[in-house]
Amino acid sequence: MKIYDFIGIGFGPANLSVAVAMEEYGLLPNGLDVAFIESKPEFVWHGDMLLPDAEMQISFFKDLAMLRNPTSKFTFLNYLAQKGRLESFANLKRFFPRRVEYNDYLKWAAEQFNNYVSYGEKVVKIEPFRDADDGTVKYLAVHKENIATGEKSVMYAKNVSLATGVSKKLPENVDVTLNDTIMHSNDFLRNLGKSFDDKNADYKFVVVGSGQSAAEITMHLADEYPNSKVDLCFRGYALKPADETEFVNEIFGSEAAEEFQNYSEKLRKQVLNAHRDTNYSVTDPELITALYERLYFQQIIGSNQITINHFHELMGVDEERKLAKFDNIKDETQSELPFDGLFLATGYEPRMVELLQGFEDYLVYDAPNRLALDENYVVKTKTNGFLPKLFVQGASEHSHGLSETLLSLLAYRSAKITGQLSRRENSMAV
């Protein structure tokens, strides 16, 4: 059987950045035997939230490579040069590209690794492959299935990187079934045009959430459907701005990530709680201003197209009657909002642990369903009889800091992982 040196499960920005680092470290194309498995039919990054006017929330400097190797051919600036837009982009005086353009940048980089990627295949299970003589786990068996044909196969690897992204998070204690008219923000664009094809109809839309996606969806619905009624509902008093100030933003840097791993458990929790307003349930200040100005203009022209319903917590959904049921926290009353479309911009959660059933005898967990990682993003093991390195990306905020689920440290993290494979010094420089 063929043994790969490295298999990456998922080929989004995380494992793409590892592929980039591998090439820069000289491990591709002639160093390691490498493969990546991706369930999507082609590369796309958050395709259903690629709204026309939505901007990135991180600087283009934090791309796949620049903070590790500014001369890399995989930087966003080189992408612009290759596309003939470098000078025009410079004239924009902008650090934050539109999300559509950044997705095109990532796709451009991913296409350079097409020979290593199997698209349209889903990993269903990972198993330890034991030596018949002494029981040592030398390899990992990666079971996959072709989504289109149902064909199943197994690949074997000395090292595996799990970067499977996140799952949709639905409101707690709310029994709701997602469909073409009740959807998570992750499915927004693909269902919107299919379910609501009349741009002039007087649809009733209800959006639940208090973060960036909720605000973007609210504005997009109002723009695309001028005769619609859009209710934005959330539990708090107001939309909160993301803290983008300079000192706080250092928490997303490589030095902060290194420091965070040395903090006590108590201090880690303190830092995470104190600075959740950099990422969770917050909105770009510019978008908040745009939404507020929209509401002010509504007062001038006598419109109520967009309504903000604060202190509203979703408690249930009557799918047959198409009613969203809320507790009004301020008045301690209940209310219902009719809807044609209900949009749940309620966030995400890690989803990779289910692939590792049967590894309990080998891997260290520092909490239920939470893997313990070392400083190089390798899962800690209980025994010397487990030889593969199992890397996990995007699920260690508790041990590596707030940047772990974001794009901010792609170049740093990929250097750490590739350094383990190449046995080179794990520095930011190549």
Side-chain angles (χ1 to χ4, degrees):
M1 62 185 182
K2 181 174 181 177
I3 309 295
Y4 287 86
D5 294 303
F6 177 93
I7 292 178
I9 300 175
F11 199 63
N15 269 337
L16 170 57
S17 68
V18 173
V20 167
M22 284 179 172
E23 179 169 316
E24 294 184 349
Y25 274 43
L27 304 182
L28 293 178
N30 300 315
L32 297 180
D33 209 343
V34 172
F36 296 92
I37 305 168
E38 170 56 49
S39 61
K40 296 185 180 71
E42 62 181 2
F43 186 94
V44 65
W45 174 68
H46 288 303
D48 282 293
M49 284 302 292
L50 294 178
L51 306 180
D53 296 326
E55 292 186 347
M56 294 295 294
Q57 294 170 271
I58 63 166
S59 164
F60 69 81
F61 280 102
K62 297 182 177 182
D63 62 18
L64 295 168
M66 186 178 292
L67 294 184
R68 181 187 67 247
N69 178 15
T71 63
S72 169
K73 71 176 185 179
F74 293 102
T75 64
F76 180 75
L77 291 181
N78 187 52
Y79 154 79
L80 291 173
Q82 297 300 315
K83 296 290 185 176
R85 299 200 304 268
L86 181 58
E87 188 170 332
S88 298
F89 185 85
N91 289 336
L92 291 175
K93 302 176 184 178
R94 174 181 294 175
F95 278 100
F96 305 99
R98 291 193 178 183
R99 203 176 293 156
V100 170
E101 182 175 36
Y102 207 77
N103 175 70
D104 191 62
Y105 155 63
L106 294 172
K107 185 176 181 179
W108 165 83
E111 287 172 349
Q112 300 180 56
F113 297 95
N114 278 346
N115 291 340
Y116 302 97
V117 187
S118 297
Y119 287 104
E121 296 196 325
K122 177 178 65 175
V123 173
V124 295
K125 182 171 59 174
I126 306 172
E127 289 183 320
F129 189 81
R130 301 173 184 84
D131 184 273
D133 295 326
D134 59 13
T136 299
V137 177
K138 293 184 176 180
Y139 314 117
L140 297 176
V142 178
H143 297 256
K144 63 176 184 172
E145 179 179 339
N146 186 289
I147 295 174
T149 66
E151 181 182 354
K152 297 179 180 180
S153 58
V154 184
M155 300 172 70
Y156 300 90
K158 300 175 185 176
N159 305 283
V160 167
S161 171
L162 275 170
T164 52
V166 288
S167 295
K168 308 164 194 174
K169 185 177 181 180
L170 299 178
E172 295 181 5
N173 304 318
V174 176
D175 185 16
V176 59
T177 301
L178 299 181
N179 53 47
D180 289 347
T181 59
I182 302 174
M183 65 193 79
H184 190 273
S185 57
N186 189 66
D187 307 316
F188 179 60
L189 285 180
R190 97 181 65 159
N191 283 342
L192 185 65
K194 179 172 61 176
S195 301
F196 306 102
D197 57 355
D198 186 353
K199 294 295 183 70
N200 295 313
D202 56 349
Y203 296 123
K204 297 180 178 67
F205 295 130
V206 176
V207 182
V208 177
S210 60
Q212 183 76 14
S213 294
E216 288 179 353
I217 288 173
T218 297
M219 293 288 278
H220 185 78
L221 291 172
D223 288 338
E224 292 293 307
Y225 302 90
N227 297 318
S228 67
K229 177 72 174 71
V230 186
D231 281 278
L232 174 59
C233 306
F234 47 83
R235 288 177 294 188
Y237 174 75
L239 296 177
K240 295 174 60 179
D243 190 340
E244 299 173 337
T245 53
E246 290 79 2
F247 288 113
V248 169
N249 231 355
E250 288 191 347
I251 203 168
F252 297 114
S254 57
E255 289 186 11
E258 298 276 3
E259 289 180 5
F260 190 89
Q261 296 167 51
N262 296 319
Y263 292 164
S264 66
E265 185 72 17
K266 179 180 179 181
L267 184 55
R268 286 179 184 176
K269 290 180 179 179
Q270 179 181 327
V271 171
L272 291 175
N273 290 334
H275 296 292
R276 287 185 65 82
D277 60 357
T278 58
N279 185 40
Y280 294 104
S281 298
V282 291
T283 306
D284 277 347
E286 295 84 359
L287 183 55
I288 291 177
T289 299
L291 181 55
Y292 193 88
E293 288 178 348
R294 182 70 168 262
L295 293 172
Y296 178 76
F297 185 69
Q298 285 186 177
Q299 296 180 54
I300 298 173
I301 63 175
S303 168
N304 67 342
Q305 183 189 20
I306 299 176
T307 300
I308 303 292
N309 302 282
H310 61 179
F311 295 130
H312 273 56
E313 182 173 8
L314 184 67
M315 300 304 295
V317 179
D318 187 329
E319 298 178 22
E320 184 176 346
R321 299 168 59 207
K322 290 197 171 182
L323 293 173
K325 301 181 179 183
F326 294 90
D327 272 356
N328 187 317
I329 300 171
K330 180 178 68 174
D331 300 332
E332 297 185 349
T333 58
Q334 288 76 45
S335 61
E336 297 177 339
L337 285 173
F339 66 84
D340 297 301
L342 175 62
F343 305 92
L344 305 175
T346 47
Y348 300 88
E349 55 192 358
R351 66 179 177 192
M352 58 189 60
V353 173
E354 64 266 22
L355 292 177
L356 298 174
Q357 302 299 321
F359 281 78
E360 292 79 7
D361 292 339
Y362 303 103
L363 305 182
V364 176
Y365 292 78
D366 55 14
N369 294 321
R370 197 177 77 179
L371 293 164
L373 308 187
D374 68 14
E375 67 275 13
N376 297 309
Y377 301 90
V378 179
V379 180
K380 296 179 181 179
T381 58
K382 298 177 181 178
T383 171
N384 292 330
F386 188 90
L387 303 185
K389 284 187 170 65
L390 180 60
F391 302 95
V392 170
Q393 302 184 68
S396 58
E397 183 181 89
H398 62 287
S399 58
H400 289 67
L402 278 164
S403 60
E404 179 55 15
T405 60
L406 307 175
L407 303 181
S408 301
L409 288 183
L410 288 179
Y412 163 83
R413 187 172 60 198
S414 59
K416 285 282 190 178
I417 293 172
T418 308
Q420 288 293 293
L421 300 173
S422 66
R423 299 182 181 179
R424 292 180 54 166
E425 187 68 22
N426 296 323
S427 67
M428 286 289 286
V430 174

